[in-house]
Amino acid sequence: ANSSRKEWNAFVPFCDIFNDAIEPVASWSRDGKTGDFKVVASKFVRGGDEVTISYGAKSNDKLLSSYGFVHPGNPRDEVVIHLEDGNSGTMPPSISLSLGKLEPGYLRQAISRLQDVRMRLGHARKSRSRQEREVQTLEVLRNR
């Protein structure tokens, strides 16, 4: 095994009983020398309360595809917006837009900036109604 590797995968019996939380009450670690896996409470946990850990700073898309669940109101949620059509058989250039804690008017500003980027890439400006639909879609995603 490569000890300088930052990410690793391991089968750790019984650790699948720990659920993920946006604000977990425990943290986990692996001792690089011994290989021991430890879960340590970072807050006081009363008897009978659930001990939760963090699976990492993941968007709902990542959580759903990897673990089969989402967090309503996930502050790390995002939406990927493709700046070009993906007709060439390759991944089109894209950006990730955070759907975390947004200020009023943020989505309209973001869509406006996206229009500028698309114009620089040589794409025609979208109709006003399509732009409004994009804003509404992003607002729905944000409110989930």
Side-chain angles (χ1 to χ4, degrees):
N2 182 351
S3 62
S4 65
R5 196 172 138 192
K6 293 185 192 274
E7 287 190 31
W8 51 273
N9 293 312
F11 178 72
V12 184
F14 302 106
C15 283
D16 61 342
I17 64 173
F18 294 105
N19 284 325
D20 176 68
I22 293 172
E23 294 184 28
V25 297
S27 61
W28 60 269
S29 63
R30 180 181 151 265
D31 186 305
K33 292 180 183 175
T34 66
D36 290 347
F37 184 88
K38 296 179 184 178
V39 176
V40 179
S42 52
K43 299 177 183 177
F44 177 77
V45 181
R46 293 185 183 154
D49 285 354
E50 181 178 23
V51 176
T52 57
I53 61 173
S54 173
Y55 293 179
K58 294 179 174 32
S59 68
N60 278 339
D61 184 46
K62 297 282 186 198
L63 289 171
L64 184 61
S65 63
S66 297
Y67 305 103
F69 69 89
V70 298
H71 288 300
N74 185 347
R76 299 177 193 104
D77 213 3
E78 64 186 15
V79 64
V80 175
I81 299 175
H82 298 288
L83 301 174
E84 295 178 348
D85 291 331
N87 296 335
S88 66
T90 61
M91 261 321 252
S94 60
I95 61 170
S96 293
L97 177 63
S98 171
L99 294 176
K101 298 175 183 170
L102 301 178
E103 299 294 321
Y106 173 78
L107 292 174
R108 291 189 190 284
Q109 263 186 326
I111 295 295
S112 177
R113 289 182 182 143
L114 282 174
Q115 294 303 331
D116 292 341
V117 170
R118 286 181 173 140
M119 288 299 289
R120 288 185 196 140
L121 290 171
H123 298 285
R125 185 170 293 275
K126 287 183 183 173
S127 68
R128 185 103 180 124
S129 62
R130 186 165 178 199
Q131 184 175 357
E132 288 299 317
R133 283 194 313 268
E134 254 183 4
V135 169
Q136 289 171 351
T137 301
L138 290 172
E139 286 173 344
V140 167
L141 289 170
R142 181 194 65 187
N143 292 326
R144 285 189 179 174

